[in-house]
Amino acid sequence: MNHHSHNNDAIYIHGCGFNSAMGRWDDVIHQCLITGVNPAMTSDVRVLNNGKTTVVGRVAEPLAQITHSNPHYQTRNNRLAWSALQSLQALIDRAKDRYGANRIAVVVGSSTSGIADGEQAFVQYLDNDEFPQSYHYYRQELANLNDFVSDILGVSGPSYTVSTACSSSGRVYLSARNLLRAGLADAVIVGGCDTLCQLTLNGFNGLNALSGELCRPFEAQRNGINIGEAAAFTLLSLKRDDSDRPLQLLGAGDSSDAHHMSAPEPEGKGALEAMQKALEDAGLTPEDVGYINAHGTATALNDAMESKAIARLFGNRVPVSSTKPLTGHTLGAASATEAAICWHILQYQLPLPKQALGGEIGADIADIQLVTDSCPLLTPVILSNSFAFGGNNISLIFGYPYD
């Protein structure tokens, strides 16, 4: 492996707090990833405004309660975030002791924030001609998430939310790396959180983008996405922890092809550029990558263009799958959700998540190596893609560079 990452600039990944439709605990997450099946994804069916049904990836377990004194933090979005953050609390407390609270930044991604709570308040408004006393617009502002994370964890470094649709919580890795390398922070809490809300479900239904059944990435019969909700966070720093095999963010690449407001560039030019930049950034060649976690939304346009871009750069040598059938597409939290999945695969040496193909591979899918049988990760380097509306693309590379 011709890895030339500047050692002093290595970005280390510490811990991972994660809660999605797969559940919150390692054993249930691993069960889903190993079998390629999440029963919860088929049982939660939502009825949309026009009477159609769709499958959603909902977090079913009760969420952590928030004890913070600010009433405007009491949203489902923040409770979901808090449920994932709690497993990082000891790590973050250690980082505060080591660096000081003012040297720890928060950069998170979201697209919905507290809109679900706003919807409930609006129902009351329509019934009573006034919003409930407890309601405040700040609950659904994007900054509510980063303010909440900073406040509840007691950190006071730079703090903001990135919102670039489905690449939001991947772009946070780029921003965090810039903060660390510029010396503006010594550690950065990164991740994302998005919760299910009527606005998003019915909006995507208006675009004819939702499937009425479990989504089927790369299949001939694929007919749209399932929306999910999730929260995933980690702590980044330039200092390695005590572990023998510190996981690293090896590379990140972004692009903005601005081809169309909601459709991807059909040849996958933006996707290709993001992946090429990530490899270049990591000092790696396509041969060095052991697995690609595809954006793989199961829409006709996305899967065709993404497969073309992957085939052009990697041929059919590198195993590829989409884990969207396990979590749903978690929108602003999608990149962080899939970064967490990559973390689990690398950290626990799990077999690669299968692309459970119920049908034929689509005729419009380029020749790529979809993971259809259980197989191990042969090279501990994973590339993860997130491609968003407006051509806002991000590719991240995680791994152990010196195995």
Side-chain angles (χ1 to χ4, degrees), residues 142-202:
L142 284 164
N144 189 286
L145 177 61
N146 62 275
D147 285 350
F148 166 70
V149 173
S150 293
D151 286 358
I152 199 143
L153 293 170
V155 299
S156 54
S159 176
Y160 54 96
T161 299
V162 173
S163 194
T164 53
C166 308
S167 59
S168 304
S169 57
R171 286 188 166 267
V172 301
Y173 281 85
L174 271 176
S175 301
R177 188 176 68 175
N178 293 343
L179 288 173
L180 290 167
R181 289 189 175 162
L184 295 171
D186 291 316
V188 187
I189 299 159
V190 297
C193 182
D194 252 354
T195 19
L196 289 166
C197 64
Q198 295 300 315
L199 176 77
T200 312
L201 283 167
N202 289 293

Short mmCIF file of all heavy atoms in Angstrom, two decimals, residues 142-202:
data_model
loop_
_atom_site.label_atom_id
_atom_site.label_comp_id
_atom_site.label_asym_id
_atom_site.label_seq_id
_atom_site.Cartn_x
_atom_site.Cartn_y
_atom_site.Cartn_z
N LEU A 142 -31.78 24.50 12.35
CA LEU A 142 -30.69 23.53 12.22
C LEU A 142 -29.69 23.62 13.37
O LEU A 142 -29.17 22.61 13.82
CB LEU A 142 -29.98 23.73 10.88
CG LEU A 142 -30.80 23.17 9.70
CD1 LEU A 142 -30.27 23.72 8.39
CD2 LEU A 142 -30.77 21.65 9.69
N ALA A 143 -29.42 24.84 13.83
CA ALA A 143 -28.40 25.03 14.87
C ALA A 143 -28.83 24.41 16.20
O ALA A 143 -28.00 24.24 17.10
CB ALA A 143 -28.09 26.51 15.07
N ASN A 144 -30.11 24.06 16.33
CA ASN A 144 -30.56 23.46 17.59
C ASN A 144 -29.76 22.21 17.92
O ASN A 144 -29.41 21.97 19.08
CB ASN A 144 -32.06 23.13 17.49
CG ASN A 144 -32.64 22.70 18.82
OD1 ASN A 144 -32.41 21.59 19.30
ND2 ASN A 144 -33.41 23.58 19.44
N LEU A 145 -29.42 21.41 16.89
CA LEU A 145 -28.70 20.16 17.13
C LEU A 145 -27.29 20.42 17.66
O LEU A 145 -26.89 19.84 18.68
CB LEU A 145 -28.64 19.31 15.85
CG LEU A 145 -27.85 18.00 15.96
CD1 LEU A 145 -28.45 17.06 17.00
CD2 LEU A 145 -27.77 17.30 14.60
N ASN A 146 -26.52 21.27 16.99
CA ASN A 146 -25.14 21.48 17.48
C ASN A 146 -25.13 22.22 18.82
O ASN A 146 -24.30 21.93 19.68
CB ASN A 146 -24.27 22.21 16.44
CG ASN A 146 -24.76 23.59 16.08
OD1 ASN A 146 -25.62 23.72 15.21
ND2 ASN A 146 -24.23 24.62 16.71
N ASP A 147 -26.07 23.15 19.02
CA ASP A 147 -26.16 23.83 20.33
C ASP A 147 -26.42 22.81 21.44
O ASP A 147 -25.80 22.83 22.50
CB ASP A 147 -27.32 24.85 20.34
CG ASP A 147 -26.99 26.11 19.54
OD1 ASP A 147 -25.82 26.29 19.15
OD2 ASP A 147 -27.91 26.92 19.32
N PHE A 148 -27.36 21.89 21.15
CA PHE A 148 -27.71 20.87 22.13
C PHE A 148 -26.50 19.98 22.46
O PHE A 148 -26.19 19.73 23.63
CB PHE A 148 -28.87 20.01 21.62
CG PHE A 148 -29.08 18.75 22.39
CD1 PHE A 148 -29.55 18.80 23.70
CD2 PHE A 148 -28.76 17.51 21.85
CE1 PHE A 148 -29.71 17.64 24.45
CE2 PHE A 148 -28.92 16.34 22.58
CZ PHE A 148 -29.40 16.40 23.88
N VAL A 149 -25.81 19.52 21.41
CA VAL A 149 -24.66 18.62 21.62
C VAL A 149 -23.59 19.32 22.45
O VAL A 149 -23.06 18.77 23.42
CB VAL A 149 -24.09 18.13 20.27
CG1 VAL A 149 -22.80 17.33 20.48
CG2 VAL A 149 -25.13 17.27 19.53
N SER A 150 -23.29 20.59 22.09
CA SER A 150 -22.27 21.34 22.84
C SER A 150 -22.69 21.51 24.30
O SER A 150 -21.90 21.30 25.22
CB SER A 150 -22.05 22.72 22.22
OG SER A 150 -21.46 22.60 20.95
N ASP A 151 -23.95 21.91 24.49
CA ASP A 151 -24.42 22.22 25.84
C ASP A 151 -24.49 20.98 26.73
O ASP A 151 -24.05 20.99 27.87
CB ASP A 151 -25.80 22.89 25.80
CG ASP A 151 -25.71 24.34 25.33
OD1 ASP A 151 -24.59 24.81 25.07
OD2 ASP A 151 -26.76 25.00 25.21
N ILE A 152 -25.03 19.90 26.20
CA ILE A 152 -25.24 18.74 27.07
C ILE A 152 -23.91 18.04 27.38
O ILE A 152 -23.76 17.42 28.44
CB ILE A 152 -26.28 17.75 26.48
CG1 ILE A 152 -26.82 16.83 27.59
CG2 ILE A 152 -25.72 16.95 25.33
CD1 ILE A 152 -28.26 16.49 27.49
N LEU A 153 -22.93 18.20 26.49
CA LEU A 153 -21.61 17.59 26.75
C LEU A 153 -20.64 18.56 27.40
O LEU A 153 -19.51 18.19 27.74
CB LEU A 153 -21.02 17.03 25.45
CG LEU A 153 -21.79 15.84 24.86
CD1 LEU A 153 -21.30 15.52 23.46
CD2 LEU A 153 -21.69 14.60 25.75
N GLY A 154 -21.07 19.82 27.55
CA GLY A 154 -20.23 20.81 28.24
C GLY A 154 -18.97 21.17 27.48
O GLY A 154 -17.90 21.32 28.08
N VAL A 155 -19.07 21.29 26.15
CA VAL A 155 -17.91 21.73 25.37
C VAL A 155 -18.21 23.07 24.72
O VAL A 155 -19.36 23.38 24.43
CB VAL A 155 -17.50 20.69 24.29
CG1 VAL A 155 -17.12 19.37 24.94
CG2 VAL A 155 -18.60 20.48 23.26
N SER A 156 -17.16 23.88 24.53
CA SER A 156 -17.42 25.26 24.07
C SER A 156 -16.55 25.70 22.91
O SER A 156 -16.37 26.88 22.67
CB SER A 156 -17.24 26.23 25.25
OG SER A 156 -15.96 26.03 25.83
N GLY A 157 -16.00 24.72 22.14
CA GLY A 157 -15.27 25.07 20.93
C GLY A 157 -16.24 25.46 19.83
O GLY A 157 -17.45 25.51 20.05
N PRO A 158 -15.73 25.75 18.62
CA PRO A 158 -16.62 26.07 17.49
C PRO A 158 -17.71 25.02 17.35
O PRO A 158 -17.45 23.83 17.57
CB PRO A 158 -15.67 26.04 16.28
CG PRO A 158 -14.31 26.30 16.85
CD PRO A 158 -14.31 25.72 18.23
N SER A 159 -18.92 25.47 17.00
CA SER A 159 -20.06 24.54 16.99
C SER A 159 -21.02 24.94 15.88
O SER A 159 -21.50 26.08 15.86
CB SER A 159 -20.75 24.60 18.36
OG SER A 159 -21.91 23.82 18.39
N TYR A 160 -21.26 24.03 14.93
CA TYR A 160 -22.23 24.37 13.88
C TYR A 160 -22.79 23.11 13.22
O TYR A 160 -22.25 22.01 13.39
CB TYR A 160 -21.64 25.32 12.84
CG TYR A 160 -20.35 24.90 12.18
CD1 TYR A 160 -20.36 24.25 10.95
CD2 TYR A 160 -19.12 25.17 12.77
CE1 TYR A 160 -19.17 23.88 10.33
CE2 TYR A 160 -17.93 24.80 12.15
CZ TYR A 160 -17.96 24.15 10.93
OH TYR A 160 -16.78 23.80 10.32
N THR A 161 -23.89 23.30 12.50
CA THR A 161 -24.54 22.21 11.76
C THR A 161 -24.36 22.45 10.27
O THR A 161 -24.57 23.56 9.80
CB THR A 161 -26.04 22.14 12.10
OG1 THR A 161 -26.20 21.88 13.50
CG2 THR A 161 -26.74 21.03 11.33
N VAL A 162 -23.99 21.40 9.56
CA VAL A 162 -23.88 21.44 8.10
C VAL A 162 -25.16 20.84 7.53
O VAL A 162 -25.63 19.81 8.01
CB VAL A 162 -22.66 20.60 7.64
CG1 VAL A 162 -22.62 20.48 6.12
CG2 VAL A 162 -21.37 21.20 8.17
N SER A 163 -25.72 21.49 6.50
CA SER A 163 -26.92 20.91 5.89
C SER A 163 -26.80 20.96 4.38
O SER A 163 -27.07 21.99 3.76
CB SER A 163 -28.17 21.65 6.36
OG SER A 163 -29.31 20.88 6.02
N THR A 164 -26.34 19.84 3.80
CA THR A 164 -26.25 19.72 2.35
C THR A 164 -27.01 18.46 1.94
O THR A 164 -26.47 17.57 1.28
CB THR A 164 -24.78 19.62 1.89
OG1 THR A 164 -24.14 18.55 2.61
CG2 THR A 164 -24.01 20.90 2.14
N ALA A 165 -28.27 18.39 2.40
CA ALA A 165 -29.13 17.24 2.13
C ALA A 165 -28.43 15.94 2.56
O ALA A 165 -27.89 15.87 3.66
CB ALA A 165 -29.56 17.21 0.66
N CYS A 166 -28.38 14.95 1.66
CA CYS A 166 -27.95 13.61 2.08
C CYS A 166 -26.44 13.45 2.23
O CYS A 166 -25.97 12.35 2.54
CB CYS A 166 -28.49 12.58 1.10
SG CYS A 166 -30.27 12.78 0.88
N SER A 167 -25.66 14.51 1.99
CA SER A 167 -24.22 14.40 2.25
C SER A 167 -23.83 15.20 3.50
O SER A 167 -22.65 15.28 3.85
CB SER A 167 -23.43 14.91 1.05
OG SER A 167 -23.73 16.26 0.76
N SER A 168 -24.82 15.75 4.21
CA SER A 168 -24.55 16.65 5.35
C SER A 168 -23.55 16.07 6.34
O SER A 168 -22.54 16.68 6.66
CB SER A 168 -25.85 16.95 6.11
OG SER A 168 -26.83 17.49 5.26
N SER A 169 -23.85 14.87 6.85
CA SER A 169 -23.02 14.33 7.93
C SER A 169 -21.76 13.65 7.42
O SER A 169 -20.99 13.09 8.20
CB SER A 169 -23.84 13.38 8.81
OG SER A 169 -24.39 12.34 8.02
N GLY A 170 -21.50 13.72 6.10
CA GLY A 170 -20.21 13.30 5.57
C GLY A 170 -19.31 14.51 5.43
O GLY A 170 -18.11 14.46 5.71
N ARG A 171 -19.90 15.62 5.04
CA ARG A 171 -19.13 16.85 4.91
C ARG A 171 -18.57 17.31 6.26
O ARG A 171 -17.57 18.02 6.31
CB ARG A 171 -19.99 17.96 4.30
CG ARG A 171 -20.20 17.72 2.82
CD ARG A 171 -20.89 18.87 2.14
NE ARG A 171 -20.74 18.67 0.70
CZ ARG A 171 -19.76 19.18 -0.03
NH1 ARG A 171 -18.84 19.93 0.53
NH2 ARG A 171 -19.69 18.93 -1.32
N VAL A 172 -19.20 16.90 7.34
CA VAL A 172 -18.69 17.29 8.66
C VAL A 172 -17.27 16.77 8.89
O VAL A 172 -16.49 17.39 9.60
CB VAL A 172 -19.62 16.82 9.82
CG1 VAL A 172 -21.02 17.39 9.66
CG2 VAL A 172 -19.68 15.30 9.94
N TYR A 173 -16.95 15.65 8.27
CA TYR A 173 -15.59 15.11 8.42
C TYR A 173 -14.55 16.04 7.78
O TYR A 173 -13.46 16.22 8.32
CB TYR A 173 -15.50 13.71 7.81
CG TYR A 173 -16.06 12.62 8.69
CD1 TYR A 173 -17.42 12.32 8.67
CD2 TYR A 173 -15.25 11.90 9.55
CE1 TYR A 173 -17.94 11.32 9.48
CE2 TYR A 173 -15.76 10.90 10.37
CZ TYR A 173 -17.11 10.62 10.33
OH TYR A 173 -17.64 9.63 11.14
N LEU A 174 -14.92 16.61 6.63
CA LEU A 174 -14.03 17.58 5.97
C LEU A 174 -13.86 18.83 6.83
O LEU A 174 -12.75 19.31 7.03
CB LEU A 174 -14.63 18.00 4.63
CG LEU A 174 -14.30 17.18 3.40
CD1 LEU A 174 -15.08 17.72 2.20
CD2 LEU A 174 -12.81 17.21 3.11
N SER A 175 -14.99 19.34 7.33
CA SER A 175 -14.94 20.55 8.16
C SER A 175 -14.12 20.31 9.43
O SER A 175 -13.30 21.14 9.81
CB SER A 175 -16.36 20.97 8.57
OG SER A 175 -17.14 21.22 7.42
N ALA A 176 -14.34 19.15 10.05
CA ALA A 176 -13.64 18.83 11.30
C ALA A 176 -12.14 18.74 11.05
O ALA A 176 -11.33 19.23 11.83
CB ALA A 176 -14.16 17.52 11.86
N ARG A 177 -11.79 18.11 9.94
CA ARG A 177 -10.37 17.96 9.62
C ARG A 177 -9.72 19.34 9.44
O ARG A 177 -8.60 19.58 9.90
CB ARG A 177 -10.22 17.13 8.36
CG ARG A 177 -8.79 16.79 8.08
CD ARG A 177 -8.67 15.90 6.89
NE ARG A 177 -9.04 16.61 5.67
CZ ARG A 177 -8.93 16.06 4.47
NH1 ARG A 177 -8.52 14.82 4.36
NH2 ARG A 177 -9.27 16.74 3.40
N ASN A 178 -10.45 20.24 8.79
CA ASN A 178 -9.91 21.60 8.61
C ASN A 178 -9.71 22.30 9.95
O ASN A 178 -8.70 22.98 10.15
CB ASN A 178 -10.85 22.42 7.71
CG ASN A 178 -10.87 21.90 6.28
OD1 ASN A 178 -9.97 21.15 5.89
ND2 ASN A 178 -11.88 22.28 5.52
N LEU A 179 -10.68 22.14 10.86
CA LEU A 179 -10.56 22.77 12.19
C LEU A 179 -9.34 22.22 12.93
O LEU A 179 -8.60 22.96 13.56
CB LEU A 179 -11.82 22.50 13.03
CG LEU A 179 -13.10 23.24 12.64
CD1 LEU A 179 -14.28 22.73 13.47
CD2 LEU A 179 -12.95 24.75 12.83
N LEU A 180 -9.15 20.90 12.86
CA LEU A 180 -8.02 20.27 13.56
C LEU A 180 -6.69 20.72 12.97
O LEU A 180 -5.77 21.11 13.69
CB LEU A 180 -8.13 18.74 13.49
CG LEU A 180 -9.26 18.10 14.31
CD1 LEU A 180 -9.47 16.64 13.90
CD2 LEU A 180 -8.97 18.20 15.81
N ARG A 181 -6.61 20.70 11.64
CA ARG A 181 -5.33 21.03 11.00
C ARG A 181 -5.00 22.51 11.11
O ARG A 181 -3.84 22.91 11.07
CB ARG A 181 -5.34 20.58 9.54
CG ARG A 181 -5.27 19.07 9.44
CD ARG A 181 -5.06 18.57 8.04
NE ARG A 181 -4.89 17.12 8.04
CZ ARG A 181 -5.02 16.35 6.97
NH1 ARG A 181 -5.33 16.89 5.80
NH2 ARG A 181 -4.85 15.05 7.05
N ALA A 182 -6.04 23.34 11.23
CA ALA A 182 -5.81 24.78 11.38
C ALA A 182 -5.52 25.16 12.84
O ALA A 182 -5.29 26.32 13.14
CB ALA A 182 -7.02 25.56 10.88
N GLY A 183 -5.58 24.17 13.73
CA GLY A 183 -5.32 24.44 15.14
C GLY A 183 -6.45 25.15 15.85
O GLY A 183 -6.27 25.71 16.93
N LEU A 184 -7.66 25.12 15.26
CA LEU A 184 -8.81 25.80 15.88
C LEU A 184 -9.50 24.91 16.91
O LEU A 184 -10.36 25.36 17.66
CB LEU A 184 -9.81 26.24 14.81
CG LEU A 184 -9.27 27.30 13.84
CD1 LEU A 184 -10.23 27.51 12.68
CD2 LEU A 184 -9.04 28.62 14.58
N ALA A 185 -9.14 23.63 16.92
CA ALA A 185 -9.70 22.69 17.90
C ALA A 185 -8.71 21.54 18.05
O ALA A 185 -7.92 21.27 17.15
CB ALA A 185 -11.05 22.16 17.44
N ASP A 186 -8.74 20.88 19.21
CA ASP A 186 -7.89 19.71 19.44
C ASP A 186 -8.66 18.41 19.26
O ASP A 186 -8.06 17.34 19.10
CB ASP A 186 -7.29 19.76 20.85
CG ASP A 186 -6.27 20.87 20.98
OD1 ASP A 186 -5.45 21.02 20.05
OD2 ASP A 186 -6.29 21.60 21.99
N ALA A 187 -9.97 18.49 19.35
CA ALA A 187 -10.82 17.32 19.11
C ALA A 187 -12.15 17.84 18.58
O ALA A 187 -12.55 18.96 18.90
CB ALA A 187 -11.03 16.53 20.40
N VAL A 188 -12.81 17.04 17.75
CA VAL A 188 -14.09 17.46 17.18
C VAL A 188 -15.09 16.32 17.29
O VAL A 188 -14.80 15.18 16.89
CB VAL A 188 -13.97 17.87 15.69
CG1 VAL A 188 -15.28 18.46 15.20
CG2 VAL A 188 -12.83 18.87 15.47
N ILE A 189 -16.25 16.62 17.85
CA ILE A 189 -17.36 15.67 17.87
C ILE A 189 -18.07 15.82 16.52
O ILE A 189 -18.56 16.91 16.19
CB ILE A 189 -18.33 15.98 19.02
CG1 ILE A 189 -17.60 15.86 20.37
CG2 ILE A 189 -19.55 15.05 18.97
CD1 ILE A 189 -18.28 16.61 21.51
N VAL A 190 -18.08 14.74 15.72
CA VAL A 190 -18.74 14.81 14.41
C VAL A 190 -19.84 13.76 14.34
O VAL A 190 -19.82 12.77 15.08
CB VAL A 190 -17.76 14.57 13.24
CG1 VAL A 190 -16.71 15.64 13.16
CG2 VAL A 190 -17.13 13.18 13.30
N GLY A 191 -20.76 13.97 13.42
CA GLY A 191 -21.81 12.99 13.22
C GLY A 191 -23.04 13.66 12.66
O GLY A 191 -22.96 14.73 12.05
N GLY A 192 -24.18 13.01 12.86
CA GLY A 192 -25.42 13.57 12.33
C GLY A 192 -26.61 12.92 12.99
O GLY A 192 -26.51 11.84 13.59
N CYS A 193 -27.73 13.58 12.84
CA CYS A 193 -28.99 13.04 13.37
C CYS A 193 -30.15 13.58 12.55
O CYS A 193 -30.22 14.78 12.28
CB CYS A 193 -29.15 13.44 14.84
SG CYS A 193 -30.65 12.75 15.59
N ASP A 194 -31.03 12.70 12.13
CA ASP A 194 -32.25 13.09 11.45
C ASP A 194 -33.38 12.19 11.91
O ASP A 194 -33.16 10.98 12.08
CB ASP A 194 -32.09 12.95 9.93
CG ASP A 194 -32.01 14.31 9.22
OD1 ASP A 194 -32.18 15.33 9.90
OD2 ASP A 194 -31.77 14.34 8.01
N THR A 195 -34.55 12.76 12.08
CA THR A 195 -35.71 11.98 12.53
C THR A 195 -36.81 12.00 11.48
O THR A 195 -36.90 12.94 10.69
CB THR A 195 -36.28 12.54 13.85
OG1 THR A 195 -35.82 13.88 14.01
CG2 THR A 195 -35.81 11.76 15.04
N LEU A 196 -37.62 10.97 11.52
CA LEU A 196 -38.74 10.89 10.57
C LEU A 196 -39.72 12.03 10.80
O LEU A 196 -40.01 12.39 11.94
CB LEU A 196 -39.50 9.57 10.79
CG LEU A 196 -38.76 8.31 10.36
CD1 LEU A 196 -39.46 7.07 10.92
CD2 LEU A 196 -38.69 8.23 8.84
N CYS A 197 -40.19 12.62 9.71
CA CYS A 197 -41.25 13.62 9.84
C CYS A 197 -42.13 13.58 8.59
O CYS A 197 -41.71 13.10 7.54
CB CYS A 197 -40.68 15.02 10.09
SG CYS A 197 -39.69 15.65 8.74
N GLN A 198 -43.35 14.06 8.74
CA GLN A 198 -44.32 14.02 7.63
C GLN A 198 -43.85 14.85 6.44
O GLN A 198 -44.07 14.48 5.29
CB GLN A 198 -45.68 14.57 8.12
CG GLN A 198 -46.35 13.73 9.17
CD GLN A 198 -46.63 12.33 8.66
OE1 GLN A 198 -47.11 12.13 7.55
NE2 GLN A 198 -46.28 11.34 9.47
N LEU A 199 -43.21 15.98 6.73
CA LEU A 199 -42.76 16.87 5.67
C LEU A 199 -41.86 16.11 4.69
O LEU A 199 -42.04 16.16 3.47
CB LEU A 199 -41.99 18.06 6.27
CG LEU A 199 -41.38 19.02 5.25
CD1 LEU A 199 -42.44 19.92 4.66
CD2 LEU A 199 -40.28 19.86 5.87
N THR A 200 -40.88 15.40 5.24
CA THR A 200 -39.92 14.69 4.38
C THR A 200 -40.57 13.52 3.67
O THR A 200 -40.37 13.32 2.47
CB THR A 200 -38.74 14.17 5.24
OG1 THR A 200 -38.28 15.23 6.08
CG2 THR A 200 -37.60 13.73 4.38
N LEU A 201 -41.34 12.73 4.41
CA LEU A 201 -41.97 11.56 3.78
C LEU A 201 -42.87 11.97 2.62
O LEU A 201 -42.79 11.42 1.53
CB LEU A 201 -42.79 10.79 4.83
CG LEU A 201 -41.98 9.92 5.79
CD1 LEU A 201 -42.84 9.47 6.97
CD2 LEU A 201 -41.42 8.70 5.07
N ASN A 202 -43.71 12.97 2.86
CA ASN A 202 -44.64 13.39 1.80
C ASN A 202 -43.94 14.17 0.69
O ASN A 202 -44.36 14.13 -0.46
CB ASN A 202 -45.81 14.16 2.40
CG ASN A 202 -46.73 13.24 3.18
OD1 ASN A 202 -47.39 12.38 2.60
ND2 ASN A 202 -46.73 13.36 4.50
#
